[in-house]
Amino acid sequence: MDATPVVKALLDAAEAVLGAGARKVLAAVLPEIRTISVKVAQSLAFDSMEEEDFAAFFKGITAWIGDHYAQVMLDDVRADYWRMVNGRQRWRAA
C-alpha cells in the first residue's frame, strides 16, 4: 500500500509528542519508505478457499492440535481424532 498517509501520521505524532526536532530527524528517513507490505486476512471457510490452500491449512492446524493437545485427549477422542486426520473417518455427530 502507499506509505504516504502512514509516514505523515508518524511525522505528525513525532512532532506532537517529541517536538519539531524529532519530526525533522524522522522526515529525513521516512519519506524513503514509499510502500508498505500488508497482509490481507483470508476466510478459513473451506468453500471460499482453493482446495490446495484448505488442504495445507487443515494439515497444519491438525498437526498443531496433535502436537499441543493430543496428550490431554481422552483415549477414544484421540483415536477418533487421528482417524479423522488421516482421512479414515469423519467426525460423528455428538
Side-chain angles (χ1 to χ4, degrees):
M1 72 178 259
D2 178 16
T4 305
V6 176
V7 169
K8 182 183 178 328
L10 287 170
L11 292 173
D12 292 346
E15 184 173 359
V17 174
L18 303 170
R23 180 187 188 103
K24 186 175 181 180
V25 170
L26 287 175
V29 178
L30 290 180
E32 297 300 317
I33 301 171
R34 301 204 191 300
T35 61
I36 300 171
S37 298
V38 295
K39 292 184 178 185
V40 178
Q42 179 180 358
S43 172
L44 294 178
F46 78 92
D47 60 343
S48 69
M49 299 174 79
E50 295 294 326
E51 188 172 342
E52 298 80 28
D53 293 338
F54 183 76
F57 167 75
F58 183 81
K59 182 178 180 180
I61 195 69
T62 53
W64 190 88
I65 291 169
D67 290 345
H68 292 87
Y69 291 103
Q71 73 277 9
V72 297
M73 291 179 187
L74 298 172
D75 291 342
D76 59 332
V77 172
R78 184 174 40 252
D80 284 347
Y81 173 77
W82 289 120
R83 281 193 289 276
M84 184 269 311
V85 167
N86 292 314
R88 293 190 300 259
Q89 175 179 333
R90 292 196 169 122
W91 287 108
R92 56 181 170 221

